Amino acid sequence: MNTQEKVKKYLAEIEKNNKRGKNINAILQINPHAEEEAKKIDEKIKKRKAGKLAGKIIVVKSNINVRGLNASCASKTLENYKCPYNASVIEKIKKQDGIIIGMANCDEFASGSSGENSAFGITRNPRALDRIPGGSSSGSAASVAAEFCDMALGSDTGGSIRNPASHCGIIGVKPTYGLVSRYGLIDLSMSLDTIGCFAKNTKDALLLLNIIKGKDNRDSTTYDSREIKIEKLNKIKIGVPDIKCDENIKNLIDEKIKEIAVKNKWEIEKINLPHINLAVETYYPLVYVEFFSGTRKFDGRRFGKKIEESCGEEVLRRILGGSEISKAEYHGKYYRKALQAKELIKQEFENAFKKVDIIIMPTIPKLPHKIGEKIQIKDMYNYDALTIPANLSEIPAISVPAGKINNIPVGIQIMAKRFDEEKMFSVAEKFEKLP
Ligand code: GLN
């Protein structure tokens, strides 16, 4: 199938099941030029002049700028915002001939874990239609799982890539903080945000990550890095921390870890991360304050609407909470304390990685709830209890499908040292190959 036919096939599937049929509601806007672009890329392929992403069809989370399209952040606040420029990751994708087919639904301003906080309606989980797909990159994950595209971009501040990847039964990668440029990403929390990718297999995820990563002068937190490759693994020591989790999920993940260890003659070691249970409490003060600060530009003058007057409940909670915490900050009460706790957790991971090569645990401690079920805010925040630690520690983490419980996908999370994406992918690929 050439690129043009592939785009047509995906567009037909979107037409059939996005707003109608299964009503997945993963895509907010279609790129009207996708077919035209595909035609040009097919010509390049014929002349053997095409880039590394030629033939790949990509959906982008609506908080990443794609020139000419609408990065609404699934919010009424930015409903009419037409991106005047491309984020660095988009520039790189286009340079390698990837096609952006559309913009994905998400939780408003990436604030959420379920996909229910979008101003444009909830997204359905393509693999369990009566359940949430997870969030906040709900539409990106659902698009891949629903066969609307090959791959997708998302952002992960506390779990927003790994969480929906786990619930939707696909691969989701959160890279090391600083591996991928955030230029052109609309911030949730600039000290924790990362842009990463979704794919149907590790090979495609790696392909996309290798394209979007690298130093960018427009984001001073980025680093130079060499190509990430799958390496031949000899002896691996897997670190398994003690965590709070639904019993069935825990058993499934433990089984998988045992299986891989036996098959490859790897070792398993129990590790101690004593403050991992404080991750959620550490994360939210940081996010509230940084989000509050980041949203001050949405005061109605430049983007049309004032955020406080146009946003949903969760976003408003964060703005008001962030404002309160900022006021109390001259006492160094919450934000500074949270930064200290972040450092502590980061240190614990660094120490653990002196003893083990890789840390493995479930991606999400519970199964996704049913659409319409009322969830307490505390329970919603707890969805990310096992993903937030990687953001606080700035390390890479990937979610790989591990199996199903009651026919609902469950992901296994593999974490590595900062900038050791190579080991993370190499181990992930082994899990992918398990029968
Ligand atoms: N669920 C978390 C939150 O609401 C994570 C969001 C994210 O990673 N963007 O902040």
Side-chain angles (χ1 to χ4, degrees):
M1 199 184 297
N2 66 25
T3 316
Q4 220 185 336
E5 285 159 357
K6 212 167 161 195
V7 166
K8 277 202 179 117
K9 182 191 86 173
Y10 281 139
L11 286 174
E13 195 55 39
I14 295 170
E15 173 61 29
K16 195 168 143 212
N17 283 319
N18 189 50
K19 286 285 178 198
R20 302 185 296 155
K22 293 183 186 157
N23 213 346
I24 306 286
N25 198 25
I27 307 268
L28 294 178
Q29 186 190 18
I30 298 277
N31 171 10
H33 307 296
E35 277 194 65
E36 232 175 276
E37 288 170 19
K39 201 169 159 196
K40 281 194 196 130
I41 284 160
D42 280 332
E43 279 158 22
K44 271 185 154 179
I45 293 174
K46 255 190 228 148
K47 290 185 195 147
R48 294 179 186 276
K49 282 192 173 151
K52 292 180 185 157
L53 285 174
K56 296 293 182 191
I57 316 298
I58 302 162
V59 159
V60 177
K61 187 173 183 179
S62 288
N63 60 354
I64 297 172
N65 277 273
V66 181
R67 190 170 39 233
L69 297 185
N70 175 214
S72 68
C73 293
S75 177
K76 292 270 176 201
T77 310
L78 292 179
E79 178 169 37
N80 301 316
Y81 169 62
K82 194 168 169 190
C83 307
Y85 71 107
N86 282 325
S88 293
V89 289
I90 302 299
E91 258 177 19
K92 289 180 169 182
I93 286 174
K94 292 201 174 217
K95 211 166 151 205
Q96 293 298 335
D97 294 326
I99 292 194
I100 312 292
I101 197 169
M103 301 298 279
N105 204 353
C106 58
D107 283 301
E108 187 176 17
F109 284 101
S111 298
S113 308
S114 67
E116 292 165 304
N117 293 343
S118 165
F120 307 117
I122 52 166
T123 299
R124 280 175 191 281
N125 186 332
R127 301 267 160 89
L129 282 172
D130 58 340
R131 304 215 170 227
I132 55 135
S136 66
S137 311
S138 47
S140 303
S143 292
V144 173
E147 290 296 329
F148 292 170
C149 60
D150 295 311
M151 325 159 149
L153 286 183
S155 65
D156 191 310
T157 313
S160 281
I161 291 178
R162 289 158 288 157
N163 171 320
S166 172
H167 291 325
C168 292
I170 58 166
I171 304 278
V173 186
K174 172 240 176 270
T176 303
Y177 183 80
L179 186 83
V180 177
S181 168
R182 288 175 296 108
Y183 178 76
L185 169 72
I186 300 168
D187 310 312
L188 170 58
S189 164
M190 51 265 206
S191 75
L192 299 166
D193 289 339
T194 51
I195 294 182
C197 43
F198 295 94
K200 295 168 196 170
N201 49 57
T202 51
K203 192 166 166 250
D204 269 2
L206 189 56
L207 172 69
L208 185 54
L209 186 62
N210 267 321
I211 302 294
I212 62 174
K213 73 176 186 56
K215 175 132 189 78
D216 180 5
N217 292 334
R218 293 170 297 189
D219 175 355
S220 61
T221 63
T222 52
Y223 295 82
D224 254 339
S225 51
R226 56 187 176 83
E227 194 189 342
I228 307 161
K229 291 186 183 141
I230 301 284
E231 57 183 21
K232 217 172 136 353
L233 295 167
N234 293 322
K235 238 189 161 28
I236 288 283
K237 203 184 257 181
I238 304 173
V240 180
D242 188 25
I243 42 108
K244 282 191 208 138
C245 179
D246 170 285
E247 262 323 290
N248 292 330
I249 295 181
K250 200 167 171 3
N251 292 341
L252 175 71
I253 300 303
D254 284 347
E255 280 295 308
K256 285 278 155 189
I257 295 175
K258 256 188 232 147
E259 210 178 319
I260 203 116
V262 169
K263 193 168 172 213
N264 296 288
K265 300 201 178 66
W266 291 348
E267 275 175 62
I268 302 175
E269 186 171 318
K270 285 214 160 72
I271 55 166
N272 202 8
L273 298 165
H275 291 94
I276 195 175
N277 291 338
L278 287 182
V280 173
E281 287 86 342
T282 304
Y283 169 84
Y284 276 98
L286 299 175
V287 169
Y288 274 34
V289 168
E290 292 183 18
F291 182 59
F292 166 66
S293 154
T295 53
R296 293 311 80 205
K297 57 184 170 285
F298 305 122
D299 59 1
R301 285 182 293 183
R302 209 159 121 210
F303 298 94
K305 287 180 197 159
K306 192 171 171 182
I307 190 165
E308 288 85 346
E309 288 164 7
S310 49
C311 70
E313 196 180 275
E314 180 58 31
V315 164
L316 191 60
R317 177 175 3 277
R318 292 176 189 218
I319 291 174
L320 298 179
S323 152
E324 285 307 309
I325 297 174
S326 301
K327 276 186 220 153
E329 207 42 40
Y330 64 92
H331 294 307
K333 246 185 162 169
Y334 305 113
Y335 188 76
R336 211 177 310 161
K337 275 233 173 73
L339 282 178
Q340 287 167 345
K342 174 182 192 269
E343 214 34 55
L344 198 68
I345 293 170
K346 190 174 166 192
Q347 202 58 53
E348 285 177 3
F349 271 90
E350 270 169 28
N351 291 341
F353 281 122
K354 285 181 191 148
K355 288 187 248 153
V356 298
D357 299 291
I358 212 97
I359 294 176
I360 303 188
M361 56 174 119
T363 309
I364 306 290
K366 54 182 182 176
L367 292 174
H369 59 267
K370 285 215 168 110
I371 288 173
E373 203 177 305
K374 263 258 162 273
I375 290 284
Q376 299 275 323
I377 292 160
K378 186 171 92 347
D379 294 333
M380 191 64 97
Y381 284 4
N382 275 330
Y383 264 117
D384 288 330
L386 304 181
T387 46
I388 287 172
N391 301 79
L392 297 175
S393 312
E394 301 170 18
I395 59 174
I398 186 170
S399 181
V400 179
K404 287 184 171 182
I405 295 175
N406 300 338
N407 225 9
I408 302 163
V410 170
I412 187 165
Q413 183 178 206
I414 301 156
M415 303 165 150
K417 262 197 288 223
R418 283 180 78 222
F419 295 107
D420 203 355
E421 269 78 3
E422 199 139 290
K423 192 161 285 154
M424 178 186 84
F425 266 102
S426 306
V427 172
E429 200 226 10
K430 295 268 184 204
F431 274 101
E432 188 178 42
K433 282 188 186 150
L434 282 182

